[in-house]
Amino acid sequence: MDAALIAATFIIAGFVKGVIGLGLPTIAMGLLGSLMPPSQAAALLVIPSIVTNLWQMAGGPGLGPLLRRLWPMLAGIVAGSWLGAGLLTGANTGAAMAGLGLALLAYAAVGLLPWKLPRVPPRREGWAGALVGAATGLVTAATGVFVIPAVPFLGALGLSRDELVQALGLSFTVSTLALALSLGAEGVFSAQLAWGSAAAVLPALAGMGLGNALRRRVSAEVFRRWFFLGLLALGAQLLARGLG
């Protein structure tokens, strides 16, 4: 795999994250998943995802209260990833590619549709979070994408903007660590891919810096719309290739 192409992928993915606050793993998986087995693409995104999401998580108003509130969802993510271990690394790469395409299509549809999930009542956050976390963990283990259904659920908790950004960083960090453990247990996260993943950190951070600069000059909502339209096309292409 061409190192320049991997670097360009993470610059683009970091740029998107810099503008709208999320999307680095999704973009990286979508682009790299069309060029290599999805399990290898997932291994490459591990370290850039951890670094950028720790940065995002550390900049919020208060990590302790969020951990106490979201721990059932986070535990569910770990459990779901463990239950789904091996789905992404199996011999049927076509099925993994089709699953990745479906995950991108679902995420794009959620982002483009005008409706939002109703507010989750506080008394239901615990068990609902555990179920959402388990589903997110299974999707992560099968596709390397960890935004569905975690992102819509977090958006329905009534968090402030800063709390939501920090909660996303927390959720994505746990999902990435769970994915790394799953890939490591299956022997996919090799030393060579680990070095490649580490080398992708700088392009990802450079892209984030560019995206942060652009965020002040363009409408984030317009950019989000084009982002989700692009994911829609990418997801459809991966689905067709996986089923073909």
Side-chain angles (χ1 to χ4, degrees), residues 7-37:
T9 296
F10 279 97
I11 288 174
I12 294 170
F15 176 78
V16 171
K17 184 176 180 67
V19 175
I20 64 175
L22 70 163
L24 185 147
T26 310
I27 289 290
M29 277 300 299
L31 294 177
L32 293 176
S34 63
L35 301 170
M36 63 177 65

Side-chain angles (χ1 to χ4, degrees), residues 179-191:
L179 176 63
L181 290 174
S182 175
L183 293 172
E186 296 296 319
V188 175
F189 196 49
S190 63

Side-chain angles (χ1 to χ4, degrees), residues 6 19 69 85 151 205 237:
I6 293 176
V19 175
R69 186 173 180 180
V151 171
L205 292 177
Q237 182 253 354

Side-chain angles (χ1 to χ4, degrees), residues 43-48 51 189 191-204:
L44 283 175
L45 70 83
V46 165
I47 298 179
V51 170
F189 196 49
Q192 181 180 1
L193 285 174
W195 278 111
S197 182
V201 170
L202 287 179

Side-chain angles (χ1 to χ4, degrees), residues 10 23-33 37-46 49 53 77 80-81 84-89 95-104 107 135-148 171-172 174-180 182-183 188 238:
F10 279 97
L24 185 147
T26 310
I27 289 290
M29 277 300 299
L31 294 177
L32 293 176
S39 59
Q40 293 182 18
L44 283 175
L45 70 83
V46 165
S49 179
N53 284 309
I77 289 172
S81 298
L87 292 176
L88 188 64
T89 58
M97 187 175 294
L100 175 57
L102 283 173
L104 295 184
Y107 184 35
T136 301
L138 283 170
V139 172
T140 298
T143 68
V145 173
F146 33 76
V147 292
I148 296 294
S171 173
F172 295 163
V174 172
S175 295
T176 307
L177 291 172
L179 176 63
S182 175
L183 293 172
V188 175
L238 287 169

Side-chain angles (χ1 to χ4, degrees), residues 157-173:
L157 294 183
L159 300 170
S160 69
R161 183 178 182 277
D162 289 341
E163 287 174 333
L164 178 58
V165 170
Q166 187 173 38
L168 289 170
L170 176 60
S171 173
F172 295 163
T173 298

